Amino acid sequence: MVLLPILTVLSISVQAQVKASFDSVSILIGSQTTLTISGTSQYPTTEELSQDGLVALEQWYDTIDGNILQRTTITSFDEGDHFLRYTPDDSLLLTVNDVANVDTTSLDIKDIAGLMEEPYTFWEIFRWILLAMGIAALIAGGIWLARYIIRKRRENQPIIPMPKAPQKPADQRALDALEALRTKQLWQQGKLKEYHTDLTDILRQFLEECYAIPSTEMTSDQTLDAFESTRTCTTESKEILRRILLTADMVKFAKSEPLPHEHDRSMSDAKAFVMACHESDERLAAENNPKTKES
């Protein structure tokens, strides 16, 4: 008998701790307010709070000074007074007001207007022209590229030509050609005329490239006279060239057969002639260089 009054008092004390409030107790239709509940161990869900024309939208929880607060967003689309029961014994009043001074019966409600047609601007037309031109250029470029690849394939040429190595100087090319001729050992095989003809052709080509002397179309005497008129010519280099040309003419026209050492001497003379011309050209270039003169 003593426990019953105590339990009743404790129950009333627990229920008295539950607190609830709206941020705003009066809202317009469709507006929202926040319901805050604290002091209970069993918080109502959104389904339980959706009652009497009220709709609970979302819930979240805050903690302030050790107290857990449940917050719920509430709205309503029904005008009038609504009682929200948050515990079996307690409820709050929320008043939902209609929008003031709006008479929907007098409104002239019109149908949705149709689409308005706007004229095309210059840029809208021009960008399509640019697009068409770009597509046409791509097609033309693709056709040209395909034809180019097919032509290169037919000609057995590389599609992308690689740059050629820089050409060696004329004196170096002449020395390389003379060395290649020496390794052929033509005069050792009895090919005397071919040997001396090739040797003098190398020198004549050298004179034409370096000094614009058309030696391949000249006689030996004409070649000597033309070389003598150049600044590169020295007494020694002219004598070397004369000896080479004379020996070759004797083999080609007089069918002479020089001694073995004379064949080797013609090769040595040819290399010495090329090197002497190169050194003479470098000396003349240094003399004509203003910077060299100042130093």
Side-chain angles (χ1 to χ4, degrees):
M1 294 296 294
V2 176
L3 290 175
L4 182 59
I6 294 174
L7 292 174
T8 302
V9 172
L10 289 174
S11 176
I12 295 172
S13 176
V14 170
Q15 292 181 2
Q17 294 177 0
V18 179
K19 296 181 181 179
S21 63
F22 285 118
D23 284 355
S24 176
V25 296
S26 178
I27 62 174
L28 294 176
I29 288 179
S31 298
Q32 298 176 359
T33 186
T34 300
L35 170 67
T36 302
I37 301 176
S38 63
T40 181
S41 59
Q42 294 182 349
Y43 291 96
T45 63
T46 54
E47 289 79 5
E48 293 172 344
L49 293 176
S50 296
Q51 53 182 273
D52 191 23
L54 302 178
V55 180
L57 300 177
E58 59 178 345
Q59 285 182 332
W60 67 96
Y61 293 86
D62 294 331
T63 301
I64 299 177
D65 297 332
N67 296 323
I68 299 175
L69 306 179
Q70 182 195 62
R71 302 189 189 278
T72 307
T73 301
I74 303 295
T75 187
S76 178
F77 297 94
D78 293 336
E79 180 188 3
D81 294 333
H82 302 273
F83 288 92
L84 177 62
R85 188 174 299 280
Y86 58 92
T87 68
D89 300 321
D90 298 306
S91 61
L92 290 174
L93 173 64
L94 178 63
T95 302
V96 179
N97 300 310
D98 195 1
V99 179
N101 300 324
V102 176
D103 185 5
T104 57
T105 60
S106 62
L107 292 177
D108 184 13
I109 300 175
K110 299 180 179 180
D111 293 334
I112 299 174
L115 297 176
M116 295 180 62
E117 294 184 0
E118 290 288 336
Y120 288 104
T121 63
F122 171 77
W123 170 243
E124 289 175 333
I125 298 175
F126 185 65
R127 65 183 178 182
W128 286 107
I129 296 175
L130 288 178
L131 178 61
M133 292 173 63
I135 294 174
L138 288 175
I139 294 174
I143 294 173
W144 177 87
L145 180 61
R147 291 180 176 177
Y148 173 80
I149 293 174
I150 293 172
R151 179 170 58 84
K152 288 295 183 180
R153 291 291 188 183
R154 289 176 179 175
E155 296 174 357
N156 198 22
Q157 295 181 357
I159 297 175
I160 302 177
M162 301 301 293
K164 295 181 179 180
Q167 193 176 32
K168 294 181 179 179
D171 60 292
Q172 186 60 51
R173 284 185 280 119
L175 292 174
D176 291 344
L178 290 171
E179 180 61 22
L181 176 62
R182 186 189 67 80
T183 58
K184 289 182 179 180
Q185 298 185 345
L186 294 179
W187 71 263
Q188 292 90 334
Q189 303 172 28
K191 300 178 181 179
L192 305 182
K193 183 177 180 181
E194 184 177 350
Y195 171 75
H196 286 277
T197 299
D198 289 351
L199 189 146
T200 54
D201 284 346
I202 293 172
L203 294 183
R204 291 176 185 276
Q205 183 67 28
F206 170 74
L207 292 172
E208 186 169 348
E209 291 184 5
C210 290
Y211 311 111
I213 298 175
S215 179
T216 55
E217 302 173 0
M218 293 179 174
T219 64
S220 296
D221 291 337
Q222 291 173 334
T223 298
L224 288 170
D225 292 340
F227 177 66
E228 188 177 8
S229 64
T230 65
R231 295 183 61 190
T232 302
C233 179
T234 63
T235 302
E236 181 183 2
S237 61
K238 181 181 178 182
E239 178 58 26
I240 293 174
L241 181 59
R242 186 196 64 78
R243 187 166 56 238
I244 295 171
L245 295 176
L246 179 60
T247 302
D249 288 344
M250 292 294 292
V251 172
K252 290 188 290 183
F253 303 114
K255 297 183 180 180
S256 173
E257 293 187 10
L259 296 175
H261 76 276
E262 292 180 303
H263 301 303
D264 290 335
R265 187 184 64 183
S266 291
M267 176 61 69
S268 300
D269 283 347
K271 291 182 178 180
F273 173 76
V274 173
M275 294 176 65
C277 291
H278 175 65
E279 292 173 358
S280 179
D281 289 339
E282 285 190 335
R283 184 181 67 255
L284 291 173
E287 292 175 356
N288 294 328
N289 190 342
K291 293 184 180 179
T292 306
K293 290 180 180 180
E294 291 177 2
S295 62

